[in-house]
Amino acid sequence: MIRSGRHYLDALDDGREIWLDGERVKDVTTHPAFRATAASLAGLYDLAHDPAHREVLGADGVHRAFVVPRTHADLVARRQAYKVWAEASYGFLGRTPDYMASGAAGFAALPRLFTTDTFDGAGNVLAFHRRLAENDLYCAFTITNPSSGTGADDLLVKAVEERDGGIVVRGAKTIGSGAVFADEVLVGTIEPLAPDDVDHALCFSLPIDTPGLRLVSRTSYEGRARGVFDNPLSSRFDENDAMLICDDVFVPWERVLTYRNVESTAAMWWGTPAYLNFVHQAATRFWTKLEFLTGLAILLTRSNGTCELPAVTQSVGRLLGMVAQAKAFVLAAEASYEQVDGGCGGVAPGTEISWAQRIMAGEIYPRAVQEIKGLAGGAVIQLPASGEDLLHPELGPLVARYLKAPGSTAEDRVKLLKLAWDALGSEFASRHEQYERFYHGAPHVYLSMQTMAGGADACERLARACFDGYDLTGGGTGATGGAGGAGTVAGADPAGSGPAFAADGARP
């Protein structure tokens, strides 16, 4: 990989149009709302040059996430690379550069899906993947529609003009997580479109500094942070989210991936390994995040002196079970890998397990947070406004006296509780709880995809085997069991002469 953290930061000073609080941000690398998170992302690039991580993060001269995996071992190696970057932010930076890198590799694994009767984007997709990989670029995406409308009130991104060299697009997209820190942004739609809605069926990628492209940032938690001691997570790992507005933006044809084709605009996510690759990266990060939160819970119980209470050990045990569950989904998705395009496109994590992970993660994250809040108790509420109270010559000794705990200084206890609050109860923490529920799209989208993953057929087949295996007389109909199609109906005598056991449990 050719890029260093310094190289990455220098590239961000390109005149991009970022807006926050009614102000245009001149440079995200120096603005107090973005600079620390930009530095954290730069640190990820520097890890690739660290001898301790170089072999894990790189393969064939590029970040491993860009490589199309060919074997189960390749999937494991990719996950190990994901884990290094996830641990660097304790799981709180979700849309790191490896996220879209894995998606681009998914597109490149099956480029023929981008060839349609309206537009041939296969070559552009391969060029997109190659450009990102060879230049080690950070690509974000905006693929959610903010609202809808018709005619002059149509607010969604669409082409309003075709030219010899490309198209002119107008409209808005959300949710651009990390987009203010990216080199490029991929603009598309993951939401289902009506079969005749070809106007909104397009996808393209542009540099963030493209004229007419604006990013409107949400509130910056980093900008509101008092410092690392008081806000240890939000001050350094606020990847931000932004709305993208295209104000008559020119898109060259070579940067268009799909155009006026509903099928290919959907298939780029659901028909290629891209979405499965996204989940693989995100599931690894989620596992890492639960590890961090569970470790935080253990530190809290030790600080509180409650770590040996039966109720507390049970609570920590439940959290450790959630960590194991998150890990199991990652390993199971890898072990159940599937060939892409008959093996021509390599392999991808298993579909059923990957989509099931999305359901699991959205459900257990709020439970984990609630579990740890119970262990933290009210101590996270009554805290000094800032670490300055501990440093004040008059107030500091009083705070140190009354906030210390057995075996822990006041500084260490306040530091721990502020870390817990930033992870569990702050506005930054609330955003993360919502993020874990919805960052891969609305549940009605991926839950409906789960029913098409193949598992529903197996479930129905097993239930049908039982249902068809008996009749009104109470005897078997000759239908076989569901497992392997051999044997007899469970609970029936092999000869079909009645139940195998009497009501009292004895042989008849």
Side-chain angles (χ1 to χ4, degrees), residues 128 145 179 289 465:
F128 168 71
N145 293 324
K289 195 174 186 179

Side-chain angles (χ1 to χ4, degrees), residues 10 40 97 115 118 223 242 254 323-324 329 338 351 356 418 442 458 469 472 493:
D10 289 344
S40 295
T115 299
T118 59
E254 59 268 23
V323 172
F329 271 87
E338 304 164 1
T351 302
K418 281 185 172 288
L472 191 61
D493 186 283

Side-chain angles (χ1 to χ4, degrees), residues 72-94:
H72 173 258
D74 290 343
L75 289 175
V76 172
R78 174 186 273 185
R79 178 246 301 163
Q80 291 170 339
Y82 292 153
K83 196 76 165 65
V84 169
W85 272 11
E87 289 183 355
S89 68
Y90 313 102
F92 283 90
L93 286 178

Side-chain angles (χ1 to χ4, degrees), residues 174-190:
T174 62
I175 301 171
S177 298
V180 298
F181 303 107
D183 298 292
E184 291 194 15
V185 60
L186 185 76
V187 183
T189 181
I190 200 168

Side-chain angles (χ1 to χ4, degrees), residues 445-489:
V445 176
Y446 63 76
L447 286 176
S448 64
M449 290 297 174
Q450 182 75 43
T451 64
M452 296 160 32
D457 292 340
C459 296
E460 182 179 354
R461 185 165 57 250
L462 187 60
R464 175 63 64 181
C466 176
F467 178 77
D468 291 341
Y470 58 91
D471 57 24
L472 191 61
T473 65
T477 63
T480 57
T488 59
V489 176

